Amino acid sequence: MAILNILEFPDPRLRTLAKPVTEVDDSIRQLVDDMFETMYEAPGIGLAATQVNVHKRVVVMDLSEDRSAPRVFINPELETLTDDMDQYQEGCLSVPGFYENVDRPVRVKIKALDRDGKPFEEIAEGLLAVCIQHECDHLNGKLFVDYLSTLKRDRIKKKLEKQHRQQA
Ligand SMILES: [Zn+2]
């Protein structure tokens, strides 16, 4: 397994539209394993392949506190099941150090393939609903900062750009 480099906002590669996985083979399972290692190391609770500069529709997630519930979503599709919205303070490994409230539908239906390429469906609420919507946004080149005001987003962008210059 390998720790992969996580792209950070405002890296333009985070805006790439990810392509569907045509076959869940060993190379995809290798990617999944590397993504888990990268996510746990960060540490984070969700990671989309886009964030590690692989533009395939693959998401990994573990919402448990003790890394006991790894979840894989390949080619995830979401259907919003309600107009009810809820606010959650979101963060992102690609926007390190910033947490902002985002409104999202509280209940969605997820259709995806698992690690073995087997299709499954699930109704998601609470943190899972928030997280899968956040990760699916990544696959479509969207970031949680896109939901914020231009002022807030620009402030975050400037701070991260400054950090990146200092690290370079
Ligand atoms: Zn994210």
Side-chain angles (χ1 to χ4, degrees):
M1 292 206 283
I3 307 273
L4 307 170
N5 185 44
I6 298 176
L7 301 178
E8 293 187 2
F9 177 69
D11 193 309
R13 291 172 289 182
L14 287 167
R15 300 305 187 179
T16 313
L17 178 66
K19 292 197 168 71
V21 171
T22 48
E23 190 189 349
V24 181
D25 56 14
D26 286 347
S27 73
I28 294 295
R29 278 183 283 272
Q30 180 67 55
L31 170 66
V32 163
D33 289 346
D34 290 344
M35 285 172 64
F36 271 119
E37 196 176 15
T38 304
M39 180 188 78
Y40 286 135
E41 163 79 14
I45 59 172
L47 188 69
T50 307
Q51 293 177 273
V52 293
N53 202 28
V54 176
H55 301 289
K56 294 177 180 166
R57 303 188 81 80
V58 177
V59 165
V60 301
M61 199 183 292
D62 190 336
L63 304 179
S64 71
E65 290 191 352
D66 56 358
R67 304 182 175 187
S68 61
R71 305 280 318 257
V72 180
F73 302 89
I74 296 168
N75 298 343
E77 286 174 37
L78 297 184
E79 185 189 333
T80 303
L81 297 179
T82 173
D83 292 332
D84 292 347
M85 306 283 277
D86 208 354
Q87 199 169 68
Y88 189 85
Q89 196 177 52
E90 297 189 22
C92 179
L93 294 176
S94 295
V95 191
F98 295 91
Y99 300 87
E100 297 287 347
N101 287 326
V102 176
D103 287 309
R104 297 189 190 267
V106 297
R107 195 162 60 253
V108 294
K109 181 153 109 182
I110 310 169
K111 278 188 186 178
L113 306 176
D114 69 13
R115 195 191 151 79
D116 299 312
K118 214 174 110 212
F120 67 95
E121 281 186 25
E122 184 171 350
I123 307 287
E125 292 181 319
L127 184 56
L128 176 60
V130 172
C131 202
I132 194 68
Q133 290 177 79
H134 176 119
E135 301 308 335
C136 285
D137 276 354
H138 276 303
L139 301 180
N140 295 326
K142 191 165 180 175
L143 295 165
F144 86 93
V145 294
D146 299 348
Y147 295 93
L148 309 177
S149 67
T150 309
L151 186 72
K152 265 192 185 169
R153 185 167 56 253
D154 283 351
R155 203 182 294 148
I156 292 172
K157 183 174 167 225
K158 285 205 178 75
K159 282 185 187 164
L160 283 173
E161 281 173 336
K162 192 177 166 196
Q163 278 180 31
H164 296 156
R165 276 197 303 276
Q166 285 167 346
Q167 285 159 7

